[in-house]
Structure formats: structure tokens, C-alpha cells
Amino acid sequence: MLVSVHLYAWQAVIVGNARLGGRDLRAAVLDDPWVGVTKREGDVFRGFACDGDFEPSFYAWLDLQRVRGLQAIRTLCTVDPGDWALHTPPPRQPPLPEFALVFPDRVAWYRYKHSSLDPRGLSGPYEECFVEVPEESRPATITPLEEAERELLAATRDYVAFVEARARADDATDMFYAKQGRTTLELLEDTEDSFRERLIALRQEELKEYRRRAKQWHPVQPATRAMRPVILENAARWLVRDDYLSVLEAAGASWRAVRLARASQDAWPLNMDVDRRSQEDLPPFIHAPGYVAIGRRWACAAAAALNAALNMR
């Protein structure tokens, strides 16, 4: 799939829960995992493991799981405890699978898997699918939306106050992380009207970037003026393919849920794991007393907020 796996999983969860609730919702990337691909290399999307085989259609697979008692579908963002350990971090937890099916008596997790179709296993094309992970036993719980929103707002205000007071104005890295917090805070404080205006502007920025990529990645180079209609069409399709917020809106989410998703998606503070592994000089504020508690709280609040927004059912 050309789309990032997390964007596919997010839209599968949004659409899946909407359909479980009676809304006939679809998403472009679920209709065609290769939407927007300008050049296929023989990769195969087999779909979803089911009864010893694979079901290529997400909608058909969801309907089958509904007959079996499916109550909700979840996707969860998590924060590894070791990321914020100052000394001797515990072993890293394996990442959670991409999504979970919630039944009355169990939770079934599914992970994205890809493998080479080359008999030697050395290169592409690749086979992609989602398979069940029976050994995964972590819960698929989410925080109520209003509670997640309150906590993210409080955590963001603390993060902004701490970092902005210490970030060096002449250092690009310092200012990047300061701006990250400020942008999240501005989103959370938007009114409905100002948020909708901001969302329009953000989509225009994304479309501009997709047009740049479509031109750069066009299979025929150098791109000429005659290719412009195709390039613009590809960029528009990429935006539709990746715009999970539009899918969330179509699913009936409130504007506050959409705002919460957008505000939390880019909240990634510098953590101690990055500090241990980085070969570059990082902002001094990460070693200031109190930063670990504030940064950890913000990261955990952002993860909980994104989970609350995406998993509405």
C-alpha cells in the first residue's frame, strides 16, 4: 500500500465503527488500497486473515465479524514507559498491532504484515495483509472524549509554559519543539469557526505539498506542462486518500472530536530514549528539572486524546 499503514488502520477503524453503528460509510483507501499509486511494482494486498484464508474486502470482512458478534473496532497509540526513564530503561514493549476487534468475550488483535514474493526473499514485489496476533493480550480501552480533551489541554499548557521559557530563540530544534506545543495549544483553544477556517488552510497546505510530490515522483521526468493535469489529479487523489479527518467528519464525529484528533496527532515531545540514542546536540531544556514529568504527561495525554477521537464507538 502506498498509504502509511497507520492511516489505513485509522480509517478502517473510523469506517468500521460507523458501519457498525448503521452508517453506510466508505473510504477511498479501503475501496482500493492502491488508490493514487502512479506505478505498481507487482505488490499484492491479500486483505484480512479469515478462517484460514484471506478476505480482500474490508467491508466484507467487517460484515463477517459483525455476524460473529463484533461490538467495536479499535486502534491505539501508546507511549512506551522506557521512553521516559532517566536511567536503566526497562525492555521496550513490542508495538501494539494495528487494530483490535472487540467482541463480548474477547479482544482479537490484528497486525500488518508484509513479506517478499521473491523466492529468495531479498526484494520486492511484496505481499501485504493483516493477520491475527493470538498472543497479544493487552486491553483495548480508551479514555472518554471529554476527559481526554481536558487532560490534553492541561498537559499542553504546562508543556508550552515550560518549553517556551527555556527554548533558545536562535536554535531551530528548540523552536521546532516549542512551536509544536504552541500549535497544539492553539488548536485546542480554537472555537468551532476558527477551527474550521484553520482546517481549510491546513488542507490547502497539504494539497500544495502533495502537488510538489506528485511532480517530483511522476514516472516520466522531467515533468512537462502537458503532464500538469495528471499531476494535479494525482495530488488531489492523495489528499482524499490520506485525509482521515474528512472520514472522521463523514462518520458523524463532532467538531470537537475532529479538533482533538488534529491537535493530538503531532504532539511528539523529545523523550529520554531520543536523548540516549541521538548523536546530535539536543535542546538543553530536556535536562532541566521537571521536564521528564511534563513531557511524559504531554505524550501520554496526546496518545489518549488521539485514541479517544479515533475510536468513537
Side-chain angles (χ1 to χ4, degrees):
M1 293 179 292
L2 186 63
V3 68
S4 298
V5 175
H6 75 277
L7 287 176
Y8 185 95
W10 289 1
Q11 294 183 62
V13 165
I14 295 166
V15 170
N17 285 325
R19 294 176 75 90
L20 289 172
R23 191 180 292 260
D24 186 19
L25 182 63
R26 304 179 74 93
V29 74
L30 301 179
D31 292 339
D32 177 11
W34 305 107
V35 62
V37 174
T38 54
K39 186 179 180 182
R40 290 282 296 272
E41 300 291 348
D43 294 344
V44 176
F45 179 65
R46 296 192 66 190
F48 306 85
C50 183
D51 298 335
D53 201 353
F54 288 89
E55 171 52 64
S57 167
F58 170 77
Y59 308 108
W61 179 72
L62 182 76
D63 287 343
L64 177 61
Q65 302 302 332
R66 187 197 332 234
V67 170
R68 294 175 175 177
L70 180 65
Q71 295 179 323
I73 180 169
R74 301 275 185 246
T75 184
L76 297 182
C77 175
T78 60
V79 176
D80 193 292
D83 287 349
W84 292 96
L86 272 172
H87 308 290
T88 317
R92 293 193 67 81
Q93 296 180 351
L96 275 176
E98 274 61 39
F99 51 82
L101 303 186
V102 180
F103 294 93
D105 58 345
R106 65 187 181 96
V107 175
W109 288 92
Y110 282 77
R111 186 183 300 284
Y112 169 76
K113 177 182 178 182
H114 77 283
S115 55
S116 174
L117 291 172
D118 182 345
R120 299 169 298 169
L122 300 177
S123 62
Y126 295 94
E127 175 184 88
E128 301 173 279
C129 59
F130 289 91
V131 297
E132 188 172 357
V133 188
E135 63 273 18
E136 180 57 69
S137 60
R138 282 173 282 183
T141 55
I142 57 172
T143 304
L145 187 77
E146 291 187 1
E147 179 183 337
E149 184 181 49
R150 287 194 301 271
E151 172 61 11
L152 181 59
L153 179 57
T156 303
R157 285 172 172 163
D158 284 352
Y159 175 87
V160 168
F162 187 96
V163 172
E164 287 189 346
R166 294 164 176 79
R168 298 166 296 181
D170 60 348
D171 187 276
T173 303
D174 286 42
M175 296 312 296
F176 172 84
Y177 285 99
K179 182 181 178 181
Q180 187 182 85
R182 174 58 60 180
T183 299
T184 298
L185 183 58
E186 289 175 354
L187 278 160
L188 290 170
E189 292 179 339
D190 268 343
T191 64
E192 181 174 2
D193 288 343
S194 61
F195 173 67
R196 295 200 183 282
E197 291 175 2
R198 187 191 299 271
L199 197 55
I200 290 171
L202 288 169
R203 283 174 174 147
Q204 287 300 316
E205 291 177 10
E206 290 173 350
L207 182 58
K208 183 178 180 180
E209 172 61 17
Y210 283 138
R211 286 174 174 174
R212 184 193 66 79
R213 295 181 193 176
K215 181 178 179 180
Q216 179 180 342
W217 298 344
H218 193 69
V220 178
Q221 293 290 340
T224 66
R225 184 176 295 274
M227 300 173 190
R228 181 172 173 78
V230 175
I231 290 172
L232 295 180
E233 181 183 359
N234 283 337
R237 292 171 68 194
W238 294 354
L239 180 61
V240 170
R241 176 198 67 195
D242 293 353
D243 191 359
Y244 78 96
L245 293 178
S246 288
V247 180
L248 194 57
E249 290 175 315
S254 68
W255 73 271
R256 289 178 61 181
V258 178
R259 182 185 65 176
L260 188 61
R262 185 60 185 83
S264 57
Q265 72 173 49
D266 295 327
W268 295 100
L270 280 170
N271 57 48
M272 298 304 100
D273 183 63
V274 174
D275 184 41
R276 283 187 288 270
R277 292 185 293 105
S278 178
Q279 297 180 358
E280 301 177 2
D281 291 332
L282 296 178
F285 65 72
I286 70 170
H287 299 296
Y291 173 76
V292 170
I294 288 172
R296 177 173 53 220
R297 182 190 181 193
W298 193 45
C300 291
L306 185 59
N307 293 340
L310 294 175
N311 300 277
M312 293 190 304
R313 186 175 174 82

